[in-house]
Structure formats: structure tokens, C-alpha cells
Amino acid sequence: MSNVKKAAIVVGVVAVIGTLGALSMRGGNKGGVEVRPEQVARRDLVSMVQASGKIEPKRKVDISADISGRVVQLSVEEGQWVNQGAVLLRIDPTQYAAQVRRAEAAVAQSQARAAQSRAQLAKAQNDLRRAEQLAQTNELVSAADVENARTQAQVAQQEAQAATFAVTQSQAAVSEARDQLRKTTIVAPMSGRVTRLNIEEGETAVVGTMNNPGSLLLTIADLSVMQAKVEVDETDVPGLTLGDSAMIKVDAFPGRVFPGHVTRIGNSSIQPTAGGQASDQQSVDYEVIITLDNPPAELRPDLSATAEIITETRRNALAVPIIALTVRDREGKKFKAAEEGDEAAQNSKAEREPEDEVEGVFVIREGKAVWVPVTIGIAGDRYFEVVRGLRGGETVVAGSYQAVKDLENDQAVKVPEPEADKAAPKAKGGRAA
């Protein structure tokens, strides 16, 4: 067989295969892309912000010791109610009582020295007067003796003044020692319930510092007013306002919802803890406080909670499914996908301006998907509010996600038959037994 005949056979086979492939593709797309339709209707929409956090009392006091020492008396238990001024615990006062006695002795000593200095001052002043009188009546006292007596009087006056200051200093030391002794007894700064107790009788209390959690002795909280402290993403914070209603779900109480309202929105972001390291990629969150309305008595601090904050509501708003909304260019065409190695598409995506992206939906008309730009309002749980672009009653493509992503304007689509119609048996003569 000649080369010319072989080439002709190859070309013929390729042509047949190409024709069959084209026919197959045409037959496969004859019915169009299978989509899931949904009618545009009016619905009640609620826009919510979700955040997680913990339950905390509105007012609580973490109590630490101002002095170090062994706990010799513990008067409370965890969960106990205490009134303001009640004795919580006592630290061994032996050392601090001794300091008070030593300071009081120092006061007595300084007062004695002050009295001695005043007596010396009186003697020096008398000597000065006598020397001045003798110098005026006769010449038995020289001028140098008078000047020496005057100097001695001045020195005695300064020593008396220094002794007075020493008395004041020692009296201050007594006040300080008594204050230290008084701090060996720790009383409740407020009325509330002991929600945390980290000390036992016989253990040593250390001086409390902010960065030393081991110095925390106990916590007293007012459980009558409870709040949820949650962390809200920076993109959701602008939509929040004081007084927004919220629904709190607590993991420890499944099936129950606790109503509340926003009472505080953080002005600055939550900073990482001392052990954490901040990074440019770290998400930025803000602290939001939600006060619970009529919290139950069994609610406890530090319970994990999830909050749904209602930011906006729309009654009888025109709505489309969230999955139906997609983005195209100004002419309704898809943007070229930026695949790895495709520098032109990647550069196009990088240079794309926000105004070049148009949001819209595909409306099914006469078996085709027609691109319709829309303007959306608030976002509900499953639907977007439509502000402009649709009138209501239209049927839009609401799935699948891949179909919405790949659809082109005026592309043929087909709607599958409802499952109920497929499952229903055809009617036949006779009755079922």
C-alpha cells in the first residue's frame, strides 16, 4: 500500500471520529445544562452576625493578697454567698504584729530624742542670752565667745527640728506597719457568690501581680446580671449598634436560647496574650458584650456560648437564594480563570477593579439562562434581599453551585422533573388490593 493511500485512510478515520464526537456532544447538550430552579418571592429576612465566647458575670472581683504569708483561717467555700465586709480569710499576723511593736518603739525613741533636743536648744538659747548680757555690761566676755554661743544655739535649733521630723517619720512607719497588719485579714469588697477558690487553709499566699495567675486567691461575682463576652470579626463590627437584640446559645444548655442585647462594642481590637505572637495574617477580632435578659439562676461563669446578633430585619422583602447570586463582568461574561502558569489571567485578576465585577442572577426564560444584574441588600440565612433588578415571580437558577458558576448568558438549561412525579406510578385499570 502506497503512502498516499495510507494518508488518505488516516484522514478518513480522523474525520469519522470527529464527526461522531461532534454528534455525541450535540446530543448530550440537546437538553441543556441541568439546573435547579427557584421562584423569586417575598420573604421575611433577618441579617445576623454570629460570634462565640464565654458567659461572665457583669461584675466580679478577683481577690489577691497584698502581703505574703501562710493562711491560718479560711472562712468561705466555693459557691458560698458572702456579704460586703465579711471576713474571707486571715494570713498569719505574727510577723506583721512584731513590725507594729517595733515601729511603735521607734516612735517612743524618736520622741525622747526630740525632747532631749528641745532641752539642748533651750540651754543653748539661755547661754546665748547670758553671753550677750555680759558682753554689754563689761568686757569679761569676748565677741568670739558671743559668736560661739550664737552658733551653738543655731545648731541646737536645727537638731531639735530634725528630731521633730524623725518623730513624724517613725509615726508614718507605725501607720505602714499597722496597714500591713490590717491586710492580714481579707474581707469581701462586695456582696456576691464565691465563684472561684484557689487557696486552702495552711497554704502560703503570695503577693498578687497582674501576670501571675497563681497569686489569685478567690473570685466573688454578682450572678444576678450575666453577660456573654464574644469575639466579632472586624468585617462584622461596622454593622453592630448598641441595643441590637441577640440570641445566646449555651453549650451546657442544649435546646435553650437566652435573649439579650448588645451593651458594649470594643473600640480597639483584641490583642494577643503575652505568650502569643502577633502576625500579619492573624484575624482581627473585637470584643462585644451582650447582657442577658433575665438569666436563669443555674447559669454559671465561663460556660461556652454562641451568639447570634440581629443587625437588621426586612419584612416581606423580595429575595433570591444566596447560591443563585454570582459575579460576571459588565457584559455578563465570565472572567477568565487564573490557573497556575497562566500569567495573563493572573495579571487580569490582579488588575481587576471592584466596579468591573457585577453581581447578578440567571433567570430561566424559554429554556435559556438569561443574565440579569441585580442590586442586593441585607443577607439572611439562605437568601439575599433584592433591591433592584427583579420584580418578583421570576424563576432563577438556584443550583447547583457548579452550574451557576459555569453558566453563560443565553445558554440552554433544563429543569429536572420533581422527584414526586418520578416516583408516582402510572394509573392502570383496576384497584389495588
Side-chain angles (χ1 to χ4, degrees):
M1 184 179 295
S2 63
N3 292 334
V4 177
K5 289 182 178 181
K6 291 181 179 179
I9 292 173
V10 172
V11 171
V13 172
V14 172
V16 171
I17 294 175
T19 302
L20 292 176
L23 292 175
S24 176
M25 293 179 61
R26 184 177 301 176
N29 294 334
K30 184 177 181 180
V33 179
E34 185 173 315
V35 297
R36 184 174 68 251
E38 186 167 337
Q39 190 175 25
V40 179
R42 293 191 176 274
R43 305 174 184 273
D44 293 338
L45 301 181
V46 178
S47 178
M48 295 187 299
V49 172
Q50 292 187 345
S52 59
K54 290 186 177 182
I55 298 294
E56 292 187 357
K58 182 178 181 181
R59 186 184 179 202
K60 69 174 183 178
V61 178
D62 293 330
I63 299 176
S64 299
D66 294 325
I67 59 174
S68 299
R70 184 172 56 87
V71 177
V72 295
Q73 177 185 346
L74 184 61
S75 305
V76 296
E77 297 179 353
E78 187 168 344
Q80 178 180 339
W81 175 270
V82 295
N83 294 319
Q84 184 176 2
V87 176
L88 301 177
L89 58 89
R90 298 183 191 275
I91 297 175
D92 187 1
T94 305
Q95 174 184 355
Y96 302 97
Q99 291 178 0
V100 170
R101 292 193 298 270
R102 184 164 54 248
E104 289 174 345
V107 169
Q109 184 179 13
S110 61
Q111 288 176 343
R113 289 178 178 175
Q116 183 180 5
S117 298
R118 288 194 296 271
Q120 292 177 352
L121 173 61
K123 179 179 181 300
Q125 290 176 343
N126 291 332
D127 291 342
L128 175 60
R129 285 195 296 271
R130 186 178 300 106
E132 290 176 343
Q133 290 174 358
L134 292 175
Q136 292 176 358
T137 58
N138 53 55
E139 297 181 355
L140 296 177
V141 178
S142 65
D145 293 336
V146 173
E147 185 63 27
N148 184 40
R150 183 178 293 110
T151 302
Q152 293 296 329
Q154 292 175 350
V155 171
Q157 183 177 5
Q158 296 300 321
E159 288 180 349
Q161 188 175 4
T164 303
F165 291 151
V167 171
T168 304
Q169 183 178 7
S170 59
Q171 289 174 343
V174 170
S175 299
E176 182 180 2
R178 288 175 178 172
D179 181 66
Q180 295 289 314
L181 179 61
R182 185 169 55 252
K183 289 178 180 179
T184 59
T185 301
I186 299 179
V187 299
M190 59 173 282
S191 298
R193 195 169 300 278
V194 180
T195 58
R196 181 178 286 110
L197 184 61
N198 296 334
I199 194 72
E200 293 291 342
E201 188 172 314
E203 295 181 348
T204 299
V206 298
V207 177
T209 57
M210 294 182 59
N211 298 325
N212 184 11
S215 63
L216 176 63
L217 301 181
L218 54 92
T219 300
I220 297 178
D222 179 8
L223 302 182
S224 62
V225 181
M226 303 294 285
Q227 59 188 17
K229 183 182 295 185
V230 298
E231 299 179 2
V232 178
D233 188 81
E234 58 180 330
T235 58
D236 296 325
V237 170
L240 300 180
T241 56
L242 295 177
D244 283 345
S245 59
M247 307 302 291
I248 310 299
K249 297 179 181 179
V250 181
D251 295 346
F253 298 89
R256 297 182 62 179
V257 177
F258 305 98
H261 58 281
V262 177
T263 52
R264 192 178 72 181
I265 302 174
N267 292 315
S268 57
S269 62
I270 300 174
Q271 299 298 319
T273 58
Q277 295 182 354
S279 63
D280 296 338
Q281 292 77 24
Q282 187 176 8
S283 61
V284 178
D285 297 325
Y286 285 77
E287 184 179 86
V288 175
I289 303 299
I290 302 171
T291 301
L292 276 65
D293 302 331
N294 301 320
E298 61 269 22
L299 205 59
R300 294 290 181 266
D302 299 328
L303 293 176
S304 299
T306 302
E308 294 180 347
I309 306 172
I310 300 175
T311 57
E312 290 185 86
T313 58
R314 293 286 189 276
R315 298 294 182 184
N316 199 30
L318 199 64
V320 294
I322 291 178
I323 193 175
L325 192 73
T326 186
V327 176
R328 296 290 188 270
D329 63 11
R330 296 179 180 180
E331 298 178 359
K333 297 180 180 180
K334 291 193 304 182
F335 293 101
K336 185 177 180 181
E339 300 178 355
E340 186 176 357
D342 190 350
E343 296 184 1
Q346 291 177 356
N347 294 336
S348 175
K349 182 178 180 179
E351 297 174 358
R352 188 188 309 167
E353 297 294 335
E355 55 268 17
D356 293 336
E357 299 180 348
V358 179
E359 295 178 324
V361 297
F362 284 100
V363 178
I364 301 176
R365 296 174 182 170
E366 299 179 356
K368 293 184 178 181
V370 180
W371 169 255
V372 177
V374 297
T375 302
I376 63 172
I378 69 171
D381 186 23
R382 295 174 51 197
Y383 293 88
F384 276 123
E385 176 193 15
V386 178
V387 179
R388 190 183 300 109
L390 298 175
R391 296 182 178 180
E394 299 94 335
T395 301
V396 297
V397 177
S400 63
Y401 170 78
Q402 192 64 35
V404 176
K405 178 182 177 182
D406 297 337
L407 273 178
E408 295 281 1
N409 189 27
D410 289 333
Q411 184 174 351
V413 295
K414 65 177 180 179
V415 178
E417 297 180 4
E419 294 295 332
D421 295 345
K422 292 181 181 180
K426 296 183 179 179
K428 295 184 179 179
R431 297 177 61 186

